[in-house]
Amino acid sequence: MLSVREATTAYQGLVAISDVTIDVAKGEIVAVCGSNGAGKSTLIKTIAGAERPRSGTVTFDGEQINGVPQHLITARGIAYVPENRRLFPRLSVEDNLRLGSYMYRGKPDRDEPLKLVFDLFPRLSERLEQRAETLSGGEQQMLAISRALMTRPRLLMLDEPSQGIMPKLVDEIFQAVIKIRDAGMTVLIVEQRMAEVLEIADRAYILQTGRVQMQGKASEIATNPDVRKAYLGL
Amino acid sequence: MDSFTQRRRRDLILAAALAAIAACVPLFVKDVYVQNIMVLTLMYAALSQAWNILGGYCGQISLGHALYFGLGAYTTALLFTKFGVLPWFGMLGGGIISALIALALGYPTFRLRGHYFVIATIVIAEIGFLLFHNWDYAGAALGIDIPVRGDSWAKFQFTRSKLPFYYFALVFCCVAWFITWWLEDSKWGFWWRAVKDNPDAAESLGVVVFNSKMGAAAVSAFLTAIGGAFYAQFVSYIDPESVMTFQFSLLMALPAVLGGIGTLWGPVLGAVILIPMTELTRSFIGGSGRGVDLILYGAVIVVISLARPDGLIGLFSRRPASKGVPQ
């Protein structure tokens, strides 16, 4: 479904990812892990069209999408939840959700994605009138994911969904990711909390200083002794 | 999502009721001076509504809308005096020219963020003012005297009564309000609020920030120019000083800021308070007191921004969203 081939992206000469190759097949949950500054966010931004790779290609459903403007990538069915959530703080929860459904082209279809959203996060339906800034950190993350779901994506990309959220809600959000996959979507998730994300992912990549250091089945990576030592502190 | 639909319907009914009351007011108010103030109040309500589309909803604060106001006034006056084109066509032409100029100016300036954009709008309007001040064909500093050809709707001239102007201003105000009402629930309205609140998040959702700003600028400039064209017919004499100065830019922005920036009713509420107050201070203090009205604006803005940053409309707010914000 998604294929990144030898992508290199740099910020003003500073290379953030180099020669990264990853694949995501339909219906998978794929995790990209690694420490701070490993290039995880850059990778996701490169796919979303927020950054352009200096070399390499990104293809989605067989079509090359690197170089395509960001809004057209959204229109092709890739939704992206940025790091730190990036909500519209002064708009209501309802308006934030509605905004997700206004795609660049075409008439918005709200009912179906909204049903899924309320099914995943019932507490949002109780807070429709509230301003987004009045939600707790976990609820804001739920709203950010829901807003992305309103674009009816086929591929959902999450950048550090666990950041700044209490552990109980992290679990709830990861359970929601599984349900999103079960609803027919594909998920690419970038996460620092490796132990937790490897439990829900099918496959995983580990990035280190901008390069893919390891890849494979999530269960195998989780039990790999080197990984356990280096990343899981075991 | 029912409460939202209900609120919109209630807004529409309230607007219709207010318009009906406003239409009846001249039956009781015969004083020409008061009628004059009422015309200006309606006009500024509409202009501020137009300003609010770009400045309030889309968050691009312009302090250069006098440029579009002046362009509307000049287009109408020039076409009429030089070519005998009826003001109605001049009005439309002025609107289109202003919208196009807004797009041309938006192309470079919408890449600027925050305060830089505001300063750019002031400077550009000032350049427009200077150009018209020195443009001989358009009367330069002397301006244009619109010749009186007798009262008629076709020529949009009325010397004996202010009532036709009053009713036009009322319709203009209603149209500007209705356009805002309609846009508020359209995808453009949502894009604009998204762009204002968090442009980066908007981009991540597939909103084209630049195009959204351009759309808001064009609609805003078009409506502002209609107001300028109306004003030229209303005062029947224009020069750069009377239609293009910075004060007009302020007078378009202030009612929205006072009433509630980025709200449907803010501009109307602000204009109803601010414009009569301005006119009254001017006439009580007289010509020598020019500037007292400006001091007053300043004071009003300071008080509002300290006590009610959301504008006076916040006093009527029924939405639970605006209260109980933690932190």
Side-chain angles (χ1 to χ4, degrees):
Chain A
M1 181 180 221
L2 177 81
S3 156
V4 180
R5 285 280 161 276
E6 292 169 359
T8 299
T9 305
Y11 300 99
Q12 288 159 357
L14 212 71
V15 175
I17 56 171
S18 64
D19 293 333
V20 169
T21 294
I22 70 163
D23 288 286
V24 179
K26 192 171 184 309
E28 273 190 313
I29 298 177
V30 173
V32 175
C33 304
S35 53
N36 247 334
K40 305 186 300 293
S41 292
T42 307
L43 173 63
I44 224 172
K45 281 183 192 161
T46 304
I47 298 167
E51 298 293 340
R52 304 223 163 154
R54 182 194 275 179
S55 63
T57 57
V58 181
T59 49
F60 184 60
D61 283 344
E63 284 176 66
Q64 189 174 329
I65 57 167
N66 53 295
V68 172
Q70 195 173 359
H71 64 272
L72 294 179
I73 291 181
T74 318
R76 284 177 190 225
I78 300 183
Y80 156 50
V81 180
E83 209 176 355
N84 299 325
R85 304 182 274 276
R86 300 260 179 96
L87 292 171
F88 303 108
R90 290 162 61 84
L91 298 187
S92 68
V93 169
E94 183 183 330
D95 284 354
N96 267 277
L97 288 175
R98 283 169 66 108
L99 254 159
S101 62
Y102 286 104
M103 294 280 297
Y104 191 60
R105 289 197 179 83
K107 281 208 172 294
D109 166 25
R110 278 189 214 113
D111 297 344
E112 205 191 304
L114 205 60
K115 225 182 116 223
L116 174 66
V117 161
F118 289 162
D119 188 43
L120 290 175
F121 308 116
R123 61 173 81 200
L124 286 184
S125 63
E126 298 155 16
R127 290 171 170 51
L128 284 178
E129 295 263 303
Q130 235 168 289
R131 280 197 202 195
E133 65 190 357
T134 66
L135 299 180
S136 75
E139 289 167 345
Q140 289 193 14
Q141 186 62 57
M142 292 172 187
L143 178 56
I145 295 171
S146 302
R147 193 182 56 184
L149 289 175
M150 294 298 284
T151 68
R152 287 166 300 149
R154 284 177 295 139
L155 173 65
L156 178 69
M157 299 196 295
L158 305 170
D159 195 350
E160 299 273 1
S162 74
Q163 203 172 53
I165 294 175
M166 59 189 230
K168 191 174 145 261
L169 290 181
V170 172
D171 201 46
E172 204 175 323
I173 283 166
F174 282 172
Q175 289 311 310
V177 169
I178 294 175
K179 283 190 199 161
I180 289 168
R181 191 263 313 270
D182 293 347
M185 277 166 264
T186 306
V187 183
L188 177 66
I189 179 168
V190 153
E191 191 49 76
Q192 251 188 88
R193 299 172 80 119
M194 229 162 121
E196 287 101 327
V197 80
L198 287 177
E199 277 176 27
I200 63 157
D202 299 309
R203 289 189 305 116
Y205 292 85
I206 296 179
L207 286 189
Q208 193 178 31
T209 55
R211 290 173 185 277
V212 177
Q213 200 204 15
M214 192 183 289
Q215 56 179 299
K217 283 191 172 169
S219 52
E220 286 169 9
I221 288 184
T223 49
N224 181 306
D226 294 339
V227 173
R228 289 169 74 87
K229 208 166 149 192
Y231 293 100
L232 302 175
L234 298 169
Chain B
M1 307 226 165
D2 284 343
S3 67
F4 183 71
T5 322
Q6 269 171 22
R7 187 160 53 88
R8 283 180 57 74
R9 190 172 305 156
R10 211 160 38 212
D11 283 335
L12 203 57
I13 293 168
L14 180 60
L18 288 176
I21 293 169
C24 296
V25 168
L27 298 175
F28 308 104
V29 180
K30 304 286 185 195
D31 187 290
V32 177
Y33 173 69
V34 178
Q35 284 184 352
N36 192 50
I37 293 180
M38 295 192 313
V39 172
L40 290 175
T41 303
L42 287 172
M43 183 186 83
Y44 279 113
L47 288 171
S48 192
Q49 203 89 46
W51 180 90
N52 196 38
I53 289 173
L54 181 64
Y57 284 94
C58 195
Q60 306 301 304
I61 304 290
S62 158
L63 287 179
H65 261 48
L67 177 69
Y68 306 126
F69 187 75
L71 281 172
Y74 267 99
T75 308
T76 312
L78 279 173
L79 284 177
F80 185 66
T81 52
K82 308 280 182 183
F83 307 102
V85 177
L86 291 178
W88 300 103
F89 299 108
M91 195 174 262
L92 197 65
I96 292 167
I97 289 173
S98 285
L100 291 177
I101 289 191
L103 291 177
L105 294 176
Y107 191 76
T109 52
F110 282 143
R111 288 157 210 278
L112 303 174
R113 279 205 178 183
H115 304 109
Y116 295 103
F117 176 77
V118 182
I119 291 167
T121 61
I122 297 175
V123 171
I124 289 167
E126 212 57 26
I127 291 170
F129 171 79
L130 288 173
L131 286 178
F132 274 90
H133 212 277
N134 292 294
W135 189 20
D136 289 330
Y137 183 73
L142 288 176
I144 301 172
D145 208 347
I146 298 167
V148 177
R149 299 263 192 270
D151 291 13
S152 83
W153 273 105
K155 294 192 181 65
F156 200 25
Q157 288 189 347
F158 305 96
T159 47
R160 284 192 289 276
S161 166
K162 288 199 187 290
L163 285 186
F165 288 120
Y166 178 81
Y167 284 109
F168 179 88
L170 180 59
V171 169
F172 178 39
C173 185
C174 290
V175 168
W177 183 90
F178 185 78
I179 288 175
T180 311
W181 179 85
W182 179 71
L183 284 172
E184 204 180 46
D185 194 36
S186 74
K187 64 179 177 185
W188 284 94
F190 279 89
W191 288 346
W192 291 336
R193 271 171 280 176
V195 166
K196 175 185 180 178
D197 221 26
N198 192 340
D200 297 325
E203 294 234 298
S204 80
L205 283 175
V207 176
V208 186
V209 170
F210 182 71
N211 292 1
S212 305
K213 290 178 181 176
M214 291 286 259
V219 175
S220 182
F222 181 87
L223 286 172
T224 306
I226 302 286
F230 164 78
Y231 188 72
Q233 296 304 119
F234 181 54
V235 296
S236 76
Y237 166 74
I238 58 166
D239 63 8
E241 302 281 342
S242 67
V243 294
M244 265 196 173
T245 51
F246 180 64
Q247 191 164 348
F248 280 98
S249 297
L250 265 185
L251 273 172
M252 284 180 241
L254 282 185
V257 174
L258 175 68
I261 192 164
T263 64
L264 184 57
W265 289 101
V268 178
L269 181 66
V272 165
I273 295 168
L274 196 69
I275 304 304
M277 194 175 79
T278 309
E279 294 298 321
L280 290 174
T281 39
R282 264 196 208 154
S283 55
F284 278 131
I285 298 163
S288 61
R290 275 193 72 145
V292 172
D293 49 336
L294 290 175
I295 296 173
L296 231 111
Y297 300 154
V300 166
I301 294 306
V302 171
V303 170
I304 282 294
S305 49
L306 286 176
R308 278 260 151 211
D310 287 344
L312 293 177
I313 203 78
L315 299 171
F316 302 94
S317 178
R318 286 177 299 256
R319 299 199 79 180
S322 59
K323 58 185 176 206
V325 180
Q327 280 148 26

